[in-house]
Amino acid sequence: QAQALPRTRRRPRAVRSGGCAEMALAFVVFALAALLGAAEEASAQPGGAGQIRGRVSIPQKFGQELPPGQGLIAAKVILDGGLQSALPTSDGYFVLNNIAPGAHLLQVVHPRLIFDPVRVEAQEVKGTTMKMTAYMADMEHGRGAKLKYPLGLAPSGMFAYLEKREEFNILSVFKNPMAIVSLISFGFMFLLPKLQPMLEEDKRQRLEAEQREAARLETPGGGGGREGGDRK
């Protein structure tokens, strides 16, 4: 019995040592897999390859006309119509990752400010390294003026949601036909009362002249009697 007890005590020790070895092996495999994944990710984008970097800024002349909360916090950078997007930081910096080779259209969207679109051409150089070249986007020719990189983007204008009221000009009244007709009508209304007495006076004078002529002809010594004497 004394010899059987040590044999039964050695078996659990062997099982425990085997379980520790399996756990250590699994940990080593997991660590190797993590290192390989990190190495692949680092080799895929070395030194910031496949990135579009830049900064959005708002000049003071535009910032003074913006309401509170409509500054950089309201801006958004979109690529290729919204396939990728990024929000600028409080300083205006932005980064777009995983950029494929080829030409891309970059735009800055803002509710009040107008930003000119930018054409960014990504060219693969030396394996996975990307070279970014930026131009002003020209819808006709594709390329416009060349821009510096990293990009420095600033607004070119502001949206006018309400039309500015034109200043009043008295001469513009005479360009409206309805206004001209109204002025002529008012003129007649003021002039007719003043012309009416003159017309009545002229009419009265003509009637008096006709009456005097008729009375002269009816008198015996008038023009009619002379005509009769001449006939005799």
Side-chain angles (χ1 to χ4, degrees):
Q1 294 177 353
Q3 293 177 355
L5 290 174
R7 292 179 182 176
T8 56
R9 290 176 183 175
R10 289 176 184 174
R11 289 178 184 175
R13 290 178 183 177
V15 173
R16 289 176 185 175
S17 62
C20 293
E22 291 177 359
M23 291 177 62
L25 181 61
F27 178 78
V28 171
V29 172
F30 178 78
L32 289 175
L35 290 174
L36 288 174
E40 289 179 359
E41 185 177 358
S43 62
Q45 293 185 354
Q51 291 182 342
I52 295 178
R53 295 177 289 111
R55 184 182 184 184
V56 180
S57 60
I58 300 177
Q60 187 177 3
K61 64 177 182 178
F62 293 110
Q64 292 176 351
E65 301 183 14
L66 294 176
Q70 292 290 322
L72 286 173
I73 194 173
K76 185 178 182 181
V77 182
I78 62 174
L79 191 71
D80 296 333
L83 294 179
Q84 295 188 45
S85 62
L87 296 176
T89 62
S90 58
D91 296 332
Y93 292 97
F94 67 89
V95 176
L96 292 167
N97 296 312
N98 301 322
I99 305 301
H104 303 275
L105 180 65
L106 185 140
Q107 296 169 289
V108 179
V109 181
H110 194 278
R112 298 292 299 273
L113 300 175
I114 302 173
F115 289 82
D116 295 327
V118 177
R119 176 189 175 97
V120 181
E121 296 182 359
Q123 185 179 2
E124 191 173 356
V125 180
K126 294 182 180 179
T128 57
T129 303
M130 289 287 183
K131 179 184 177 182
M132 301 296 174
T133 310
Y135 304 88
M136 293 292 295
D138 190 341
M139 300 305 172
E140 244 182 85
H141 306 91
R143 288 183 181 180
K146 189 174 182 179
L147 302 176
K148 293 182 179 180
Y149 188 83
L151 297 171
L153 305 177
S156 59
M158 295 187 69
F159 292 107
Y161 294 103
L162 298 176
E163 294 184 1
K164 187 178 180 181
R165 182 179 295 178
E166 296 182 359
E167 296 181 359
F168 178 75
N169 187 2
I170 189 64
L171 298 178
S172 62
V173 177
F174 299 99
K175 297 179 181 179
N176 190 346
M178 296 299 295
I180 296 174
V181 173
S182 301
L183 289 174
I184 294 173
S185 302
F186 280 115
F188 279 118
M189 290 175 62
F190 284 106
L191 292 176
L192 282 177
K194 295 181 179 181
L195 293 175
Q196 189 69 24
M198 298 173 62
L199 295 174
E200 291 178 356
E201 181 66 20
D202 185 43
K203 184 178 180 181
R204 186 179 63 80
Q205 290 178 0
R206 283 190 282 107
L207 288 174
E208 290 178 354
E210 291 176 358
Q211 290 175 359
R212 286 195 301 268
E213 183 68 19
R216 186 176 63 82
L217 294 174
E218 291 176 357
T219 57
R226 288 195 298 269
E227 290 176 359
D230 294 336
R231 289 175 183 175
K232 288 179 180 180

